[in-house]
Amino acid sequence: MGIPSITEVFGLSQKQTEILYNFEMLKVQADIKADKMPKDHDLKEKWLTNWKKEIAEFFQKSFVINWYEDDYKLFEEIKKEYDNQPNNLWYDLVLLEAEIFQPYVSAAKEFKGLKYKNNKWLEFVVSQQNLVGNDFLKQIKKVYQKSINQMRGTTKNIAIAALATTTLAALTAVGGALFAPGIAVALVGTDFTGLSGIALTNAALAYLGGGAIAVGGYGVAGGTAVIAGGGALLGLTAGTSVSASSIVVSNVLYQPNENLHQTAKIVVVVKTLLANKRKDIKLAQKVQNSLEDNIKLLQHSLIDLDGKEDKEKIKEIQKSITQMQRALKDITKFLSAYGLGVNKEEEGFSDF
């Protein structure tokens, strides 16, 4: 069996997507229960209701998302899917997205100022399932935050919620189009009609809450519903054709803050999920090569831009290129050192 494609590596099935969104929904519910401020409590309930509605409406053409009533139902569904899937990378990707997920991001003024406070729920729930190590979520967050800092060239942490808020502004600037259909075209080359207008705006806002790029339900092959772990960014180089929709997708994925967010997740996948946990260096290198190809694609896109008319866009793309180059350098150094360590171990060196 050969090395899987980028879409296969980062793609989640419909059931896995359902589990992901229920992780996020229950995470918000736990925060709401712990909030003692009546006004914030009610606003958070309203935000969650809107969020669930937008997600359900977005996927309604392909499948129905069942919302779980409690943690026990979540455990049950995870166990069934976990036992049925020989490759459980999907579960790690779900945890990556759930850990980074920032609730209460919205264009509506009434939700501004709401903060997620219950930071222990996810850690507790994951520990109860006993499917990953107790420090797995901490490793994800540490690698993610360190990668963000390295790409920004600073040691000062930036709040994850701040990245989502800035991306929301970028989406607004391009008409709110998040393109579930568009990213699918960019990833698998499938041409179809999908959402438009307010439906696309709603899908964009729902996406901002979750971070995984929705693709399912519009003629996409293989049953993939979302692309997690930053894979959508790499997927833009998967096809040979450049469609109008893929260009729109790139306008957001290459917006510096969203690019920062997606690229940092790629670093987590390479270091934590593929190398350290699975010791799958070949697959990690495939992701590394895809990131390098994506950088070249982005550099090539600058050729067609006008230095005067596209000044701001050029500046943003150059910033994204710098971020991705820093991430690539970090991944290359990591995999080189990792490979050296494995070779020494195999040769019997005990002092490495």
Side-chain angles (χ1 to χ4, degrees):
M1 185 176 179
I3 300 175
S5 68
I6 291 298
T7 308
E8 291 171 330
V9 172
F10 291 90
L12 299 182
S13 69
Q14 293 178 357
K15 171 54 70 173
Q16 293 157 7
T17 298
E18 179 178 286
I19 290 171
L20 166 61
Y21 285 125
N22 273 280
F23 251 122
E24 296 175 347
M25 183 269 291
L26 291 168
K27 178 178 176 177
V28 178
Q29 282 191 349
D31 180 62
I32 292 172
K33 289 178 182 178
D35 199 321
K36 305 301 182 183
M37 299 292 290
K39 182 180 178 182
D40 286 355
H41 185 280
D42 292 344
L43 281 174
K44 286 180 177 182
E45 286 276 16
K46 184 176 180 180
W47 182 91
L48 180 58
T49 298
N50 293 343
W51 180 82
K52 289 170 63 179
K53 178 184 176 183
E54 303 300 354
I55 288 175
E57 288 182 353
F58 178 71
F59 286 106
Q60 67 182 352
K61 289 188 177 181
S62 53
F63 70 104
V64 175
I65 290 185
N66 299 300
W67 298 108
Y68 307 155
E69 61 269 19
D70 52 37
D71 300 354
Y72 299 105
K73 178 63 174 175
L74 177 66
F75 293 167
E76 180 183 323
E77 296 299 327
I78 289 173
K79 187 177 187 308
K80 285 192 292 187
E81 184 70 11
Y82 198 90
D83 290 344
N84 289 335
Q85 295 295 326
N87 178 4
N88 287 307
L89 177 61
W90 71 267
Y91 181 67
D92 293 348
L93 290 169
V94 165
L95 293 184
L96 166 58
E97 295 291 353
E99 171 63 29
I100 296 173
F101 169 61
Q102 291 295 302
Y104 316 129
V105 174
S106 174
K109 291 182 179 179
E110 64 178 321
F111 299 120
K112 294 188 184 302
L114 291 179
K115 297 186 183 301
Y116 175 75
K117 301 174 184 178
N118 190 2
N119 296 313
K120 297 297 181 182
W121 176 84
L122 184 62
E123 186 177 328
F124 172 76
V125 168
V126 171
S127 68
Q128 295 299 300
Q129 295 170 52
N130 200 31
L131 297 177
V132 296
N134 292 333
D135 62 344
F136 184 68
L137 290 177
K138 292 180 180 178
Q139 291 174 11
I140 285 176
K141 192 170 184 178
K142 182 179 179 180
V143 174
Y144 175 83
Q145 189 66 68
K146 184 177 179 181
S147 178
I148 291 287
N149 293 345
Q150 286 181 329
M151 284 189 284
R152 294 176 66 237
T154 180
T155 57
K156 184 178 180 181
N157 289 349
I158 182 174
I160 299 173
L163 293 178
T165 302
T166 308
T167 303
L168 179 60
L171 282 171
T172 304
V174 295
L178 188 58
F179 8 111
I183 190 64
V185 171
L187 285 168
V188 299
T190 304
D191 198 6
F192 50 85
T193 58
L195 300 179
S196 62
I198 189 64
L200 272 174
T201 302
N202 291 341
L205 296 179
Y207 153 74
L208 276 172
I213 308 293
V215 301
Y218 298 90
V220 181
T224 299
V226 302
I227 305 297
L233 185 65
L234 301 179
L236 290 175
T237 58
T240 56
S241 63
V242 179
S243 64
S245 53
S246 67
I247 292 172
V248 177
V249 173
S250 69
N251 284 340
V252 170
L253 291 181
Y254 292 150
Q255 190 276 333
N257 278 304
E258 181 60 17
N259 176 273
L260 192 71
H261 173 58
Q262 297 294 338
T263 306
K265 288 195 290 185
I266 292 170
V267 175
V268 174
V269 169
V270 170
K271 290 185 176 182
T272 307
L273 275 56
L274 297 180
N276 286 335
K277 185 175 181 181
R278 288 173 173 76
K279 296 180 171 55
D280 193 338
I281 300 303
K282 287 186 178 180
L283 190 51
Q285 289 172 335
K286 180 180 179 69
V287 175
Q288 174 192 16
N289 293 336
S290 294
L291 179 60
E292 186 173 7
D293 290 342
N294 199 268
I295 293 171
K296 292 176 181 177
L297 180 71
L298 199 53
Q299 290 171 327
H300 184 74
S301 71
L302 292 171
I303 297 174
D304 298 324
L305 297 179
D306 186 276
K308 292 183 178 180
E309 293 183 4
D310 301 311
K311 185 177 180 180
E312 287 303 315
K313 185 174 183 180
I314 291 172
K315 184 178 179 181
E316 287 199 341
I317 291 177
Q318 288 175 333
K319 185 174 182 180
S320 291
I321 289 173
T322 298
Q323 291 171 172
M324 294 166 72
Q325 286 175 330
R326 288 172 176 170
L328 179 63
K329 182 179 180 180
D330 180 40
I331 288 173
T332 302
K333 182 179 179 181
F334 171 83
L335 290 179
S336 177
Y338 191 96
L340 180 62
V342 170
N343 289 338
K344 283 185 174 290
E345 184 179 27
E346 291 174 349
E347 293 167 7
F349 287 86
S350 59
D351 60 343
F352 182 78

